[in-house]
Amino acid sequence: QMILTVTTPNPEEPGLHEWVQAFIQSTTLKFLFHPAVNTIQFLTFFYVLYITPWYDLMVKEHAGHLIMNWVFLLSGYIYYWDMIGSDPKPRENTVLRRLAWLVFSMPVHLYFGVYLMQLSQILAEDFYRTLGLPWDIDLLHDQDVGGGIAWASGSFPLVVVFGALFLQWLKEDRNEAKAYDQRADDTEDEDLEAYNQMLARMNKNGS
């Protein structure tokens, strides 16, 4: 005979929802979602990993490739979560502020691809030479093409995000205008009465 027991969860114990809320409201995440911090981390990872000796170390190992992919994924996720994410955030920045930081970050982010295209030094040349590919390769040309791909692939999502934020700003502005008109309609009699009282006081003082 098998006896099944069902345990009722304790409502006082935190569940998954409470843990997620605690994580979202954590001090660390609030710090990362400051516009300046979030923008800097999004912009600097490319330069730090590619134009420093870190790239030579990372590219030689498969684990290094995985670490780079995860770093870029998490960095981009945090940045775009703040910019256009619909999920709850630890710090709610206004649309106008997010739009301003995006405009500021776009040239710096896109310059990375231009930098690769202008670079005369081949990154991690020793590693690529040891691959022993069976065809003739021009590493400098490949690097130049990679810089063009980086510039094009980086500009497209930023332009899309800029358009989304601009539409959000227009929608927010229209909602504020409607709310102002509604308040004006609701308080029209009060404003008119206050205006008439002010005129009456002026006439009384003048006489």
Side-chain angles (χ1 to χ4, degrees):
Q1 183 178 2
M2 181 180 297
I3 301 177
L4 298 177
T5 58
V6 179
T7 58
T8 303
N10 187 353
E12 297 181 357
E13 294 182 356
L16 180 60
H17 179 71
E18 287 73 22
W19 282 110
V20 172
Q21 282 187 325
F23 172 71
I24 292 176
Q25 297 301 325
S26 64
T27 304
T28 302
L29 210 58
K30 287 182 179 180
F31 174 76
L32 288 176
F33 267 75
H34 187 279
V37 175
N38 197 3
T39 302
I40 290 173
Q41 68 84 17
F42 179 68
L43 296 177
T44 55
F45 275 126
F46 282 94
Y47 294 93
V48 170
L49 288 177
Y50 275 96
I51 66 176
T52 65
W54 276 103
Y55 182 73
D56 290 341
L57 296 175
M58 290 290 193
V59 77
K60 294 177 181 179
E61 301 292 339
H62 179 63
H65 281 277
L66 295 179
I67 292 174
M68 290 176 61
N69 290 336
W70 277 106
V71 167
F72 292 145
L73 179 64
L74 292 176
S75 173
Y77 181 82
I78 292 174
Y79 182 76
Y80 288 111
W81 180 11
D82 182 25
M83 285 295 170
I84 57 174
S86 58
D87 296 328
K89 306 169 188 175
R91 185 191 296 267
E92 288 292 344
N93 297 309
T94 63
V95 176
L96 197 58
R97 174 177 291 186
R98 284 179 280 155
L99 193 59
W101 279 103
L102 178 67
V103 172
F104 167 78
S105 65
M106 284 179 68
V108 182
H109 180 73
L110 297 179
Y111 176 73
F112 175 75
V114 178
Y115 170 81
L116 287 181
M117 288 187 286
Q118 295 178 344
L119 194 62
S120 59
Q121 177 186 358
I122 300 174
L123 301 179
E125 182 177 4
D126 294 338
F127 167 73
Y128 291 114
R129 295 292 184 192
T130 59
L131 294 179
L133 299 175
W135 59 83
D136 294 333
I137 57 174
D138 186 346
L139 294 179
L140 188 59
H141 176 265
D142 291 346
Q143 182 171 275
D144 181 70
V145 173
I149 295 174
W151 180 86
S153 61
S155 61
F156 177 74
L158 289 177
V159 170
V160 172
V161 172
F162 178 84
L165 286 177
F166 186 75
L167 292 177
Q168 288 182 20
W169 178 58
L170 292 179
K171 182 179 180 181
E172 187 178 81
D173 186 66
R174 286 196 298 267
N175 291 337
E176 291 179 356
K178 289 180 180 179
Y180 177 81
D181 293 340
Q182 184 64 39
R183 287 194 302 269
D185 293 339
D186 295 340
T187 61
E188 182 178 0
D189 295 337
E190 297 176 4
D191 293 340
L192 182 60
E193 182 179 353
Y195 181 72
N196 290 332
Q197 291 177 358
M198 181 187 68
L199 292 178
R201 286 194 301 270
M202 293 176 61
N203 292 331
K204 182 178 181 181
N205 293 333
S207 59

